[in-house]
Amino acid sequence: MLRPLLIILLSLFSSLVISAQQPDQRIGELVNTEDWFRLDKEYQILKDSVQTPFLKVVAEAMIARNFNKKQRALECLNELLANYQSVLGAGVFNFIILRAQLLEEMGRYAEAADFIKNVLDQLKGQGVTQGLDAMEYYYQHVNVLRDFPALDLSRPNHDVLVPFILKELKPKRIESWMRKKEERNPDTKSVLITIPVTLHGETIPFHFDTGAGMTFVSEKFVREKGLPLIGDTVTYTGNSKGLRTVIDSLQIGEITVRNIVAGVGLEEEIELFDLVGIGPILGRDVIAAIGETQICMDDSILLFPIKTSPLPAYGRNMLYNSHVEATADGEKLRLLFDTGNASNNACYLSAAYYNSHREVVDKVATTDTISGGGYGIAGAREMKVIRPFCLSIGNMPIQLVEAVVDEESVLADEYCHGNIGIAAVLQHRKTIINFRDMFVTFEK
C-alpha cells in the first residue's frame, strides 16, 4: 500500500561495460535489466564461466541485496568500492548510495551517515560541486537517526499465534469521485488484515501490510501516543510527503519489536485513509524482521513459527521489496505482493505491463471508471479492465475476476508489472510469507 521512496536513482548499471564472453554477456544482460529472479538461478550455473571479475562481484552483490542477505551484500559492495571504482565509472555513485542504504537497513545509522559525509567531503575537496544533491539529501535523511539503536526483537522459543480480523473498508461519506456505483463487479469489497498490537500497554488495531516498506502511522496518532517527530519531511509514494517517528516498543502477541523507525502521514496527505478507516500500518520492516508469517484463513490466525518452512521446490520467488515472480499465459511477471492491496477479487497491472502488452490489452479489455487510491492519492478515472485474469505464484493458480490496467502508473521500479494482494490470500487456506529464504507459497 505505502511504498517509501527515499531517493530516485538512475539505473544502477547503465554504465557497466560487459565482456564479449557469452556467460559474461548473459549475466550482464540480467544485471542491466534488473531481472533478479533469473539472475539468481542462472548465475549459479554460469558463475564459474564468467571471465570478468568485477561482474561476478556485482552479480553476487545484487543477488544478496535482493534476496535479503544484507551482510553478504555489504561485503560485495565493500569489494566493489575498494577494487573496482575505475571500472564502475559514474555508476560508482549508485553503489555508494546502495551501501549507505544497506547500513541504514541494518540499523547502522551513524556509520551510514559518516560514510556518505566522507564521500561528500572528498568530492568537494576535488572541486566537485554539481550532482551531489542526492547524496546531500541522503546524508540529512540518515544523519538524524545516528543516535538511535537498530531495530531488534525478542520472542519466545515457540510458535506465536495472533488473531486477525478481515476489516472491510467502507467510506464514512460519499465523495463526488466515488459516486459511480461499480455495477460491473458488485461483489467487489475492500478488506484488510487487522491484528491487535500493544503500544505502551494499549491494544491498537494495526493493518498487516507487506506492500508498505515501513511501519506507518498518522500525525494524529503520533500526537495522541506522545511519540517524537524526527528530522524534516521525506518523500514517500510519488510526490507525497511525510515525517518520521521512532516507536520504542511494540508487542505483537508474545513478540516484542523495539526501535522502529516509522513513517508519519501528514494530515493533508492521509485524507483517504481517514475516509475509509485505514489505521496504523505494520510494514515490511517489522514483518521481515520476524522472519516468516503464515496467514491461516480457516482459523483467522497469523502464525509466526519458531521453525520456518522449507524452501519450496521452485526456489526463491520473492525479493526483499516484496516483489514476487508470477506467471500469466506462460510469461513471467514481477508483481508487488501487497497485503495492503485491499481488493478482494482483482489485481492491478502497471504501465510497464501495458506498454509490453499494448496490442493484446487494447483488444480484450473494456474501459471503466475506477475509483481508489492510497497515501496522498485519491480519485477516479477511466482505466482498462481485463476480465477474467488468471495467473499463478509458485505452483498455485490464482483466478481473479479482473485485472485493472493502469496505463498512467509510474512505479519507482520500472520492471514491476503491477500489484496483487488480499485477493490471492483469500483464495487459499494458508499463505506463507518467508523473508528468511525469500518465498511466498500457498496451501489449499
Side-chain angles (χ1 to χ4, degrees), residues 68 70 153 283-292 320 435-436:
N68 198 23
K70 292 186 176 66
L153 63 82
R284 189 175 65 245
D285 50 351
V286 172
I287 297 168
I290 294 174
E292 177 174 308
Y320 183 65
F435 277 94
R436 296 274 168 81

Side-chain angles (χ1 to χ4, degrees), residues 61-119:
M62 301 317 298
I63 290 170
R65 196 276 178 278
N66 283 284
F67 291 96
N68 198 23
K69 305 299 180 186
K70 292 186 176 66
Q71 185 57 46
R72 176 58 183 155
L74 187 60
E75 292 167 2
C76 292
L77 289 171
N78 289 342
E79 183 177 351
L80 282 171
L81 295 174
N83 300 325
Y84 297 107
Q85 286 195 32
S86 61
V87 181
L88 292 170
V92 69
F93 294 105
N94 298 300
F95 287 99
I96 287 169
I97 292 289
L98 184 57
R99 182 181 188 273
Q101 289 176 330
L102 268 172
L103 290 169
E104 180 190 359
E105 289 174 14
M106 298 166 80
R108 294 159 64 173
Y109 306 121
E111 190 177 346
D114 292 343
F115 169 64
I116 289 293
K117 183 66 162 57
N118 182 52
V119 172

Side-chain angles (χ1 to χ4, degrees), residues 147-206:
D147 295 327
F148 290 103
L151 182 148
D152 74 342
L153 63 82
S154 58
R155 58 170 298 162
N157 192 31
H158 58 74
D159 294 348
V160 173
L161 281 69
V162 176
F164 72 79
I165 62 170
L166 286 176
K167 179 181 178 180
E168 184 174 355
L169 303 180
K170 294 184 176 180
K172 299 174 185 176
R173 62 185 184 277
I174 303 297
E175 299 287 343
S176 58
W177 55 269
M178 302 170 62
R179 291 192 182 280
K180 178 173 178 176
K181 170 67 177 174
E182 298 198 30
E183 298 171 353
R184 59 187 178 81
N185 195 349
D187 295 327
T188 294
K189 294 181 180 179
S190 295
V191 293
L192 290 176
I193 294 172
T194 303
I195 63 173
V197 172
T198 302
L199 170 65
H200 301 164
E202 179 185 359
T203 300
I204 301 165
F206 271 65

